Amino acid sequence: MARPPRLASRVGLIEPFWVMECAKAADVIARSPACDPALGGTPMIYLNIGEPDCTAPAAVVAAAQHSLERGLTQYTPAAGLATLREALSRWYAQRWGLAIDAQRIVVTAGASAALQLLCSALVEPGDEWLMPDPCYPCNRHFVSACGGSARLLPTTAAQRFQLDAASVAAHWGPATRGVMLASPSNPTGTSITPEALQGIVETVRARGGCTVVDEIYLGLSYEQQTPRSALALGEDVLVVNSFSKYFGMTGWRLGWLVLPPALVPAIEKLAQNLYICPSTIAQQAALACFEPATLQECERRRDELRRRRDFIVPALQRLGLDVPVPPDGAFYVWFDTSAHAASSWDFCFDMMERAHVALTPGRDFGHADTGRYARLSFASSMDSLEEAVRRLGRALGRA
């Protein structure tokens, strides 16, 4: 029998994506008789995956169909359609009050491809990047895949589970290359205050490093109609964004980068070689994202997500599942399970089995006390959220 190929050592540096492992376990339970309504069971309620319960707006779907009918399916430039880059530039001006040259915008095959491109361009073997703990797990794995290492800096509820300038300065070392942030954050749904973000950028800038800010949830901010983008802090700040969350285009795999002008040619060269170009059909469809009716629909959806947040946070508190920092963006709640279980891993599997509610344990998101926390996505319908609270209440003796 032939031997299997030898795996590159970098594969061993990548931990399993436990969110997906838990999702597979939930699917197994969901196919069991206990979840079959025909047998008197209760179907699984999925509050574990970060995906809106709505699809792309109607105008976006129509634009995709139109591109297929007209045969607009050929390769585009690696940096994306000029018309889409220009539309994004106008959106930054109209929505965020920022003058962003379209030439600084590179359209990518999702935010994941954007992060892969950045890491490929910026990370050398042995480099260190600072990130908050907790944070989205794939970010550190992108760094590891390029030979660098992520240094997770523990955060607290008092810090809104975000970094600040003092912690960045204290942990900056000879190998540190930059800082990678997300605002609003996955898994906590918290944003960095403008003052804290400015302090971080200035601290990194003074040390000759890079600040990368993931803003894929910026459009889903609830306390401010127009929250501040990190791009307001200078041309040297690198921003990642996506059509997945605010525009409901998760499976379309389309995102973008805003870069310093000097970095655009290198990123474009990497994109040419790594995936040629983003999906042409998705790009053609995304042009419809900026039509007034589409933006109005996206704002209606944002208001609905705010309504769900305002329901679920106090509901969890009443169940003895403390929410130390209410989310001000995204569609996640980061809650403490320690009153009910030894670990959030045990808690989530117990709730899958007994309440048929799928949640995400904190194991994925870092090491700083994350074992006691779990993440709930309130991107599901209000009916699902209300039923999930009833089931959790019964399972926890709080009904």
Side-chain angles (χ1 to χ4, degrees):
M1 181 182 294
R3 293 181 179 179
R6 177 179 60 84
L7 292 176
S9 59
R10 70 177 63 91
V11 177
L13 301 174
I14 309 300
E15 300 171 35
F17 196 0
W18 296 111
V19 170
M20 297 305 178
E21 295 300 313
C22 292
K24 288 193 289 187
D27 287 340
V28 170
I29 297 170
R31 292 193 295 271
S32 70
C35 286
D36 188 345
L39 300 175
T42 54
M44 185 70 69
I45 297 176
Y46 292 92
L47 306 181
N48 55 329
I49 301 298
E51 185 166 38
D53 64 335
C54 48
T55 58
V60 174
V61 175
Q65 293 171 333
H66 184 63
S67 70
L68 287 169
E69 291 166 357
R70 294 180 58 196
L72 301 176
T73 57
Q74 294 85 2
Y75 293 135
T76 73
L81 289 169
T83 49
L84 184 54
R85 298 167 77 187
E86 290 160 2
L88 283 163
S89 175
R90 289 192 297 272
W91 191 55
Y92 273 110
Q94 295 163 2
R95 177 69 184 270
W96 314 110
L98 295 170
I100 305 297
D101 189 336
Q103 296 303 308
R104 292 178 54 200
I105 299 171
V106 174
V107 182
T108 61
S112 294
L115 287 162
Q116 183 183 26
L117 289 170
L118 282 180
C119 289
S120 298
L122 300 175
V123 178
E124 291 275 20
D127 284 350
E128 176 183 84
W129 284 74
L130 306 182
M131 301 179 194
D133 188 345
C135 69
Y136 185 58
C138 296
N139 290 358
R140 64 182 188 266
H141 297 156
F142 283 123
V143 172
S144 297
C146 291
S149 63
R151 185 174 184 183
L152 300 184
L153 306 185
T155 63
T156 65
Q159 297 171 278
R160 299 179 52 74
F161 298 113
Q162 293 282 2
L163 295 185
D164 54 33
S167 61
V168 170
H171 292 91
W172 195 279
T176 307
R177 180 79 167 90
V179 175
M180 193 174 291
L181 311 167
S183 183
S185 164
N186 176 6
T188 66
T190 62
S191 301
I192 309 174
T193 66
E195 297 77 17
L197 184 56
Q198 182 170 347
I200 292 170
V201 170
E202 290 173 354
T203 300
V204 174
R205 185 180 288 148
R207 288 158 176 77
C210 299
T211 302
V212 176
V213 185
D214 177 342
E215 293 187 342
I216 69 172
Y217 295 102
L218 189 65
L220 297 176
S221 297
Y222 304 121
E223 307 309 326
Q224 303 176 60
Q225 183 70 22
T226 308
R228 189 181 188 187
S229 168
L231 292 168
L233 297 173
E235 206 173 69
D236 58 333
V237 178
L238 288 65
V239 161
V240 177
N241 213 317
S242 171
F243 288 90
S244 291
K245 311 300 183 179
Y246 180 71
F247 293 108
M249 296 177 65
T250 51
W252 301 68
R253 307 315 303 134
L254 198 66
W256 73 89
L257 287 164
V258 182
L259 303 166
L263 190 53
V264 172
I267 293 293
E268 186 172 11
K269 178 174 67 174
L270 287 167
Q272 290 168 345
N273 284 277
L274 291 178
Y275 57 79
I276 301 179
C277 70
S279 163
T280 302
I281 298 168
Q283 290 187 73
Q284 293 285 353
L287 289 168
C289 287
F290 307 103
E291 295 176 4
T294 302
L295 292 172
Q296 184 177 11
E297 171 62 15
C298 291
E299 285 298 287
R300 184 197 66 76
R301 294 176 177 184
R302 182 173 72 99
D303 290 342
E304 171 60 18
L305 286 169
R306 182 198 291 114
R307 186 172 77 94
R308 297 175 189 176
R309 178 205 62 173
D310 293 345
F311 163 77
I312 197 64
V313 170
L316 291 174
Q317 300 277 25
R318 287 193 296 271
L319 296 177
L321 299 167
D322 184 47
V323 181
V325 186
D328 62 289
F331 35 63
Y332 305 114
V333 182
W334 186 241
F335 65 95
D336 190 339
T337 67
S338 59
H340 295 286
S343 73
S344 63
W345 183 267
D346 294 340
F347 176 84
C348 290
F349 274 82
D350 186 37
M351 291 304 101
M352 275 195 285
E353 290 280 0
R354 295 200 295 126
H356 298 165
V357 176
L359 302 162
T360 298
R363 180 176 180 175
D364 252 332
F365 302 103
H367 312 292
D369 211 23
T370 52
R372 68 188 295 179
Y373 288 101
R375 189 194 73 178
L376 176 149
S377 168
F378 55 86
S380 296
S381 70
M382 185 64 85
D383 287 345
S384 294
L385 294 174
E386 291 173 343
E387 174 61 18
V389 168
R390 284 191 288 269
R391 293 188 194 178
L392 291 172
R394 287 194 295 270
L396 298 173
R398 299 291 185 102

